[in-house]
Amino acid sequence: MNPTGQRISILRFVLIFGVVLLHVPPYVPISELEPGTFAWVKAFFQHAMFRCSVPVLTVVSGYLLFRSGLDLDYGKLVQKKVRTLLVPFLAFNLPLVAMVVLLQVQFDVSISTQLVPFDWATMLDATLGLAAPPVNYPLNFLRDLFVLALLAPLLGWLLRRAPWLGLALVLVVALENLDKELVLRTEMLVTFYLGGLAAVHRWNLQAWDRFAWPCLALFVAACAFVVETREENTVWLGMAAPLLVWPAASLLVGTRLGGWLARLSRHSFFLFLTHSVVLVVAWEAFQHLGEPVPYPLFWVATPVLATALLVGVHALGTRHLTGLFDLLLGARTAPRDALNQRPVGAAESRA
């Protein structure tokens, strides 16, 4: 595996594990942060560090799409994104919608997404994430990636004809929220474009590696600043994070730990698609257990155990139900294979 492919694989698994940790319930707004070391550490990871998972993964997605030149063949682009983004989105969201409806009809269960009584707007959001996150809420990332892929030819034209004007335009659109509900996390438009800049203009992706430690220190300091100041708007951190996290990740490339994380990367997309259900079940179980399990232990152990469980399920599924898993997961090509075998880097991000 070449260094770029390994770095992408390392980041994919680490950041998606971070998404799992980010979603461990209950959600507590940073403005309501309680005093104490544990509350501070929890906020550091959930409101700062791993809030940057989506922006960094979006840069990788934009880089791989434009590096392959997929934006120049719209038919192929749409076909591929339907298979690799839309099909997994529907496959791992619609069954949950049906389950929620059944629970609310039969047992009058009240959750954040109330689908009974029926309302068209609410149902469209729950199933397709049109103007709000779907029932499987982490999948709003796939929804936004799909929209960005559909916009890729327009962005590609800007990248090749007027790259810096294009960057200014997407910054204005994102910061002023001019796209409204087109992209739910509007900073993704900027980070996707940033990945395209790196690909189309063939930036030296190792240029800042000599500053890996300062970049890591600056990123950690920025995250600490967010917690200390109770900063709710972290769009600026999300936009800056890829420029700091990418060189910092070079510290793991070529190490034994980095190799292990890169090998786990093949499980990351399944982990992303399924972790919310495991976390909800774990939270319900914890609430019934009560005092015997301290919440800090639950918060630390749950993402680790959930990740181990889902990695195991995916490993068994790909071994014994290959055809079904290929269909549900979009039959994705691991970036380490594509980046090693294709000179133009035609791999695309699993996330």
Side-chain angles (χ1 to χ4, degrees), residues 18-326:
V19 170
V20 178
L21 187 148
L22 178 73
H23 289 146
V24 175
Y27 172 76
V28 179
I30 196 168
S31 59
E32 299 175 15
L33 180 64
E34 297 178 355
T37 301
F38 171 72
W40 194 96
V41 170
K42 181 174 181 287
F44 178 84
F45 288 107
Q46 291 191 320
H47 287 287
M49 179 170 283
F50 288 125
R51 286 284 166 189
C52 298
S53 290
V54 164
V56 176
L57 290 169
T58 306
V59 166
V60 172
S61 296
Y63 173 80
L64 293 171
L65 187 151
F66 289 105
R67 182 88 168 93
S68 69
L70 195 58
D71 61 299
L72 299 175
D73 187 340
Y74 200 62
K76 184 178 179 181
L77 170 68
V78 172
Q79 183 182 29
K80 189 168 189 177
K81 295 305 178 180
V82 166
R83 186 181 79 249
T84 60
L85 293 177
L86 185 58
V87 169
F89 177 97
L90 296 175
F92 287 87
N93 187 58
L94 294 185
L96 289 184
V97 173
M99 185 182 300
V100 169
V101 171
L102 179 63
L103 288 172
Q104 291 180 350
V105 168
Q106 294 295 325
F107 304 103
D108 194 27
V109 173
S110 179
I111 61 173
S112 57
T113 303
Q114 195 65 33
L115 301 181
V116 178
F118 178 83
D119 175 75
W120 270 111
T122 303
M123 184 59 71
L124 286 173
D125 285 340
T127 54
L128 300 176
L130 291 188
V135 166
N136 192 349
Y137 52 90
L139 302 195
N140 64 337
F141 177 44
L142 298 191
R143 176 259 190 225
D144 282 346
L145 272 186
F146 187 70
V147 172
L148 289 170
L150 297 182
L151 295 174
L154 172 60
L155 298 176
W157 186 89
L158 288 170
L159 285 165
R160 294 178 179 92
R161 301 292 184 89
W164 301 110
L165 174 61
L167 179 60
L169 288 173
V170 297
L171 276 168
V172 170
V173 169
L175 295 176
E176 297 298 326
N177 195 28
L178 299 180
D179 62 321
K180 303 303 181 184
E181 284 85 28
L182 182 62
V183 180
L184 296 181
R185 292 189 58 160
T186 50
E187 70 267 28
M188 285 180 62
L189 177 61
V190 178
T191 51
F192 189 78
Y193 190 88
L194 183 63
L197 271 176
V200 172
H201 296 280
R202 298 188 176 276
W203 289 359
N204 179 2
L205 299 183
Q206 286 77 46
W208 285 12
D209 287 0
R210 63 186 184 276
F211 304 117
W213 282 110
C215 285
L216 178 61
L218 183 57
F219 178 61
V220 170
C223 293
F225 173 81
V226 167
V227 180
E228 284 295 321
T229 59
R230 309 294 194 270
E231 179 62 57
E232 295 183 0
N233 184 356
T234 56
V235 171
W236 62 271
L237 179 61
M239 291 183 182
L243 301 175
L244 302 174
V245 171
W246 178 261
S250 68
L251 297 170
L252 291 170
V253 174
T255 67
R256 184 173 298 179
L257 175 59
W260 178 67
L261 292 169
R263 289 191 296 273
L264 287 173
S265 180
R266 68 183 187 275
H267 305 294
S268 58
F269 190 54
F270 182 78
L271 174 62
F272 175 78
L273 291 167
T274 55
H275 73 273
S276 64
V277 177
V278 177
L279 294 183
V280 168
V281 172
W283 177 240
E284 290 299 320
F286 171 76
Q287 288 181 300
H288 284 88
L289 285 174
E291 291 299 323
V293 180
Y295 178 73
L297 177 60
F298 170 83
W299 183 79
V300 171
T302 297
V304 175
L305 295 176
T307 298
L309 171 66
L310 293 172
V311 164
V313 169
H314 183 249
L316 288 173
T318 52
R319 181 180 303 172
H320 300 292
L321 299 169
T322 305
L324 177 61
F325 270 60
D326 281 350

